[in-house]
PDB file of all heavy atoms in Angstrom:
ATOM      1  N   SER B 144       9.259   5.411  23.544  1.00 84.00           N
ATOM      2  CA  SER B 144       9.604   6.359  24.610  1.00 84.00           C
ATOM      3  C   SER B 144       8.469   6.611  25.590  1.00 84.00           C
ATOM      4  O   SER B 144       8.610   7.441  26.484  1.00 84.00           O
ATOM      5  CB  SER B 144      10.034   7.687  23.979  1.00 84.00           C
ATOM      6  OG  SER B 144       9.008   8.174  23.144  1.00 84.00           O
ATOM      7  N   ILE B 145       7.349   5.921  25.447  1.00 88.00           N
ATOM      8  CA  ILE B 145       6.225   6.164  26.370  1.00 88.00           C
ATOM      9  C   ILE B 145       6.594   5.698  27.779  1.00 88.00           C
ATOM     10  O   ILE B 145       7.308   4.708  27.955  1.00 88.00           O
ATOM     11  CB  ILE B 145       4.936   5.459  25.873  1.00 88.00           C
ATOM     12  CG1 ILE B 145       3.732   5.895  26.713  1.00 88.00           C
ATOM     13  CG2 ILE B 145       5.084   3.950  25.869  1.00 88.00           C
ATOM     14  CD1 ILE B 145       2.392   5.415  26.180  1.00 88.00           C
ATOM     15  N   ASN B 146       6.146   6.454  28.783  1.00 89.00           N
ATOM     16  CA  ASN B 146       6.339   6.028  30.167  1.00 89.00           C
ATOM     17  C   ASN B 146       5.055   6.356  30.940  1.00 89.00           C
ATOM     18  O   ASN B 146       4.191   7.078  30.432  1.00 89.00           O
ATOM     19  CB  ASN B 146       7.586   6.677  30.768  1.00 89.00           C
ATOM     20  CG  ASN B 146       7.470   8.178  30.808  1.00 89.00           C
ATOM     21  OD1 ASN B 146       6.532   8.718  31.377  1.00 89.00           O
ATOM     22  ND2 ASN B 146       8.407   8.864  30.166  1.00 89.00           N
ATOM     23  N   PRO B 147       4.904   5.848  32.152  1.00 90.00           N
ATOM     24  CA  PRO B 147       3.643   6.041  32.880  1.00 90.00           C
ATOM     25  C   PRO B 147       3.244   7.503  33.062  1.00 90.00           C
ATOM     26  O   PRO B 147       2.054   7.815  33.140  1.00 90.00           O
ATOM     27  CB  PRO B 147       3.926   5.371  34.224  1.00 90.00           C
ATOM     28  CG  PRO B 147       4.953   4.340  33.917  1.00 90.00           C
ATOM     29  CD  PRO B 147       5.814   4.917  32.857  1.00 90.00           C
ATOM     30  N   ALA B 148       4.238   8.401  33.083  1.00 91.00           N
ATOM     31  CA  ALA B 148       3.914   9.818  33.281  1.00 91.00           C
ATOM     32  C   ALA B 148       3.099  10.381  32.109  1.00 91.00           C
ATOM     33  O   ALA B 148       2.352  11.352  32.267  1.00 91.00           O
ATOM     34  CB  ALA B 148       5.203  10.613  33.456  1.00 91.00           C
ATOM     35  N   TRP B 149       3.269   9.798  30.931  1.00 93.00           N
ATOM     36  CA  TRP B 149       2.513  10.269  29.759  1.00 93.00           C
ATOM     37  C   TRP B 149       1.005  10.160  30.009  1.00 93.00           C
ATOM     38  O   TRP B 149       0.234  11.015  29.609  1.00 93.00           O
ATOM     39  CB  TRP B 149       2.865   9.438  28.513  1.00 93.00           C
ATOM     40  CG  TRP B 149       4.167   9.789  27.878  1.00 93.00           C
ATOM     41  CD1 TRP B 149       5.303  10.191  28.508  1.00 93.00           C
ATOM     42  CD2 TRP B 149       4.479   9.767  26.480  1.00 93.00           C
ATOM     43  NE1 TRP B 149       6.311  10.403  27.597  1.00 93.00           N
ATOM     44  CE2 TRP B 149       5.831  10.151  26.351  1.00 93.00           C
ATOM     45  CE3 TRP B 149       3.771   9.437  25.343  1.00 93.00           C
ATOM     46  CZ2 TRP B 149       6.466  10.233  25.119  1.00 93.00           C
ATOM     47  CZ3 TRP B 149       4.397   9.516  24.097  1.00 93.00           C
ATOM     48  CH2 TRP B 149       5.733   9.913  23.992  1.00 93.00           C
ATOM     49  N   ILE B 150       0.607   9.065  30.668  1.00 94.00           N
ATOM     50  CA  ILE B 150      -0.817   8.833  30.927  1.00 94.00           C
ATOM     51  C   ILE B 150      -1.353   9.932  31.839  1.00 94.00           C
ATOM     52  O   ILE B 150      -2.430  10.489  31.617  1.00 94.00           O
ATOM     53  CB  ILE B 150      -1.017   7.429  31.558  1.00 94.00           C
ATOM     54  CG1 ILE B 150      -0.434   6.337  30.644  1.00 94.00           C
ATOM     55  CG2 ILE B 150      -2.479   7.151  31.863  1.00 94.00           C
ATOM     56  CD1 ILE B 150      -0.994   6.301  29.232  1.00 94.00           C
ATOM     57  N   ASP B 151      -0.549  10.262  32.841  1.00 94.00           N
ATOM     58  CA  ASP B 151      -0.937  11.334  33.759  1.00 94.00           C
ATOM     59  C   ASP B 151      -1.000  12.670  33.019  1.00 94.00           C
ATOM     60  O   ASP B 151      -1.972  13.421  33.145  1.00 94.00           O
ATOM     61  CB  ASP B 151       0.082  11.395  34.901  1.00 94.00           C
ATOM     62  CG  ASP B 151      -0.317  12.411  35.957  1.00 94.00           C
ATOM     63  OD1 ASP B 151      -1.524  12.494  36.255  1.00 94.00           O
ATOM     64  OD2 ASP B 151       0.563  13.133  36.463  1.00 94.00           O
ATOM     65  N   ASN B 152       0.042  12.966  32.242  1.00 94.00           N
ATOM     66  CA  ASN B 152       0.104  14.255  31.541  1.00 94.00           C
ATOM     67  C   ASN B 152      -1.026  14.430  30.528  1.00 94.00           C
ATOM     68  O   ASN B 152      -1.469  15.544  30.280  1.00 94.00           O
ATOM     69  CB  ASN B 152       1.453  14.394  30.826  1.00 94.00           C
ATOM     70  CG  ASN B 152       2.590  14.563  31.804  1.00 94.00           C
ATOM     71  OD1 ASN B 152       2.360  14.663  33.009  1.00 94.00           O
ATOM     72  ND2 ASN B 152       3.809  14.575  31.308  1.00 94.00           N
TER      73      ASN B 152
END
Side-chain angles (χ1 to χ4, degrees):
Chain B
S144 57
I145 189 172
N146 62 56
W149 282 35
I150 303 303
D151 185 39
N152 290 355

